[in-house]
Amino acid sequence: MINIRIPATSANLGAGFDALGLALTYYNYVEMEESDVIDISSADNIKIPQDENNLIYISAKDLYNVCGKKLQGLKIVQTNNIPMARGLGSSSACIIAGLVGANTMLGNPLTKDDLVDLAAQIEGHPDNTAPALLGGIVTAVFDGKKVHWVKQEVFTKLKFVAIIPDFELKTEKARACLPKEIPHKDAVYNLSRAALFSASLLTGKFENLRTAVHDRLHQPYRMSLIPNAREVFDIAYNHGAYGVYLSGAGPTIMAIVDENNTYFAGKMKFSLDNAGLSGWQVHELHIDNNGTALI
Ligand code: HSE
């Protein structure tokens, strides 16, 4: 069996809608081998599709098709730590697991660039799939066929604290609420902040992050789909977060916090409970610079 470890990801990072994403130290595990039949199971009893609609299977089959091979069946054992439909890249983790597993089974006919492209074609945008494969912070432009990307490793004294509600928000729903067009000044507002985010994160100018995470492309429209989101943002800022943003399409809210802010997660949970928001869980994570690995 091939054993694959795939990191969670956080996309958009505020203003970098569909362009910026980073990998986190929170992992799904997938075991895979060729089989005569489709045999999909969950090692942790989390409900997953166990037929040809399983996204790992679909992605593996896509790679076989691209390589002109037929995938008869597949044995897959999934361990899903990354919560589903929470804005932490659970779908991307499945896509990358399928592609990396299939590519490994075929003796690595596709390059890393090919995998980044194919993953973006399956998902529709590259900002979760690319960091899930590559690790670090990834800046990516998808032209519809190819992804033009840069991966940068990040060695900062930062924590990424995921504040995860007990409800799901499907990406399709969170994309359906976005406007078709935006004013020119809003485009300038966003592109300047997305650029500021990367430059500030990578140079350690963390005091810029609070400005850099603001955007006018998606967060204002999605906040109404996430009850109590504004309150959670305020609590995180009150406890000293550098920047707070909707992770991917939400509903998880991500706080970027100094490593020396030792009790942030504990204080956050205490305040959430006091505010009657005990359904929100707090997970302290870091940037994963390695991406997907065979283990
Ligand atoms: N960039 C995507 C979005 C990430 O915000 O819709 C979620 O998959």
Side-chain angles (χ1 to χ4, degrees):
M1 290 275 256
I2 295 166
N3 288 316
I4 311 161
R5 188 183 81 165
I6 319 99
T9 48
S10 182
N12 298 331
L13 310 179
F17 181 76
D18 278 3
L20 296 179
L22 50 79
L24 293 164
T25 52
Y26 196 22
Y27 302 98
N28 276 2
Y29 296 86
V30 174
E31 296 171 54
M32 189 188 290
E33 70 184 4
E34 277 192 15
S35 163
D36 293 337
V37 293
I38 299 175
D39 173 5
I40 301 172
S41 58
S42 166
D44 49 16
N45 291 323
I46 289 181
K47 204 168 150 20
I48 50 163
Q50 292 181 282
D51 55 14
E52 67 280 357
N53 296 314
N54 180 286
L55 190 51
I56 299 176
Y57 175 75
I58 290 172
S59 307
K61 200 170 170 199
D62 282 348
L63 187 137
Y64 268 62
N65 287 341
V66 166
C67 296
K69 305 276 186 199
K70 187 168 166 42
L71 182 62
Q72 201 65 40
L74 199 56
K75 180 174 168 63
I76 297 171
V77 183
Q78 291 182 228
T79 305
N80 287 305
N81 296 313
I82 308 169
M84 291 184 208
R86 297 299 209 291
L88 289 168
S90 62
S91 304
S92 293
C94 291
I95 293 169
I96 295 300
L99 295 182
V100 169
N103 203 39
T104 306
M105 291 189 299
L106 290 177
N108 293 312
L110 298 194
T111 64
K112 197 166 265 187
D113 275 306
D114 293 333
L115 296 180
V116 171
D117 294 346
L118 189 50
Q121 286 161 13
I122 296 169
E123 175 99 315
H125 42 85
D127 47 333
N128 281 117
T129 49
L133 178 68
L134 304 165
I137 178 170
V138 178
T139 307
V141 171
F142 182 39
D143 66 15
K145 287 191 187 130
K146 205 182 152 30
V147 180
H148 308 267
W149 58 268
V150 173
K151 168 200 168 175
Q152 287 163 293
E153 295 192 1
V154 188
F155 300 99
T156 62
K157 291 208 177 316
L158 289 180
K159 303 185 269 204
F160 282 71
V161 181
I163 308 154
I164 310 173
D166 57 2
F167 56 86
E168 298 187 347
L169 175 57
K170 297 252 188 264
T171 299
E172 306 84 70
K173 185 176 174 194
R175 286 180 89 84
C177 75
L178 304 181
K180 296 266 175 293
E181 290 175 9
I182 54 152
H184 185 273
K185 65 175 173 18
D186 287 353
V188 174
Y189 185 98
N190 259 70
L191 68 87
S192 53
R193 279 165 179 75
L196 184 70
F197 185 94
S198 298
S200 301
L201 185 77
L202 291 161
T203 58
K205 216 154 182 239
F206 303 136
E207 68 273 22
N208 283 341
L209 293 176
R210 189 163 184 162
T211 297
V213 292
H214 287 154
D215 99 296
R216 291 184 179 163
L217 284 183
H218 71 109
Q219 293 181 108
Y221 304 99
R222 289 170 164 172
M223 291 294 275
S224 60
L225 303 175
I226 307 167
N228 305 113
R230 187 67 266 162
E231 220 171 332
V232 176
F233 270 65
D234 290 344
I235 295 173
Y237 275 124
N238 284 342
H239 288 310
Y242 284 124
V244 185
Y245 63 91
L246 272 192
S247 184
T252 290
I253 292 169
M254 192 66 74
I256 309 172
V257 177
D258 200 286
E259 195 67 72
N260 294 326
N261 189 341
T262 322
Y263 301 112
F264 179 88
K267 288 193 243 174
M268 196 69 217
K269 184 66 185 142
F270 186 75
S271 298
L272 288 167
D273 289 349
N274 276 346
L277 304 176
S278 51
W280 294 71
Q281 299 301 316
V282 181
H283 287 265
E284 190 176 297
L285 307 168
H286 292 88
I287 292 180
D288 166 298
N289 283 313
N290 302 312
T292 293
L294 296 178
I295 53 172

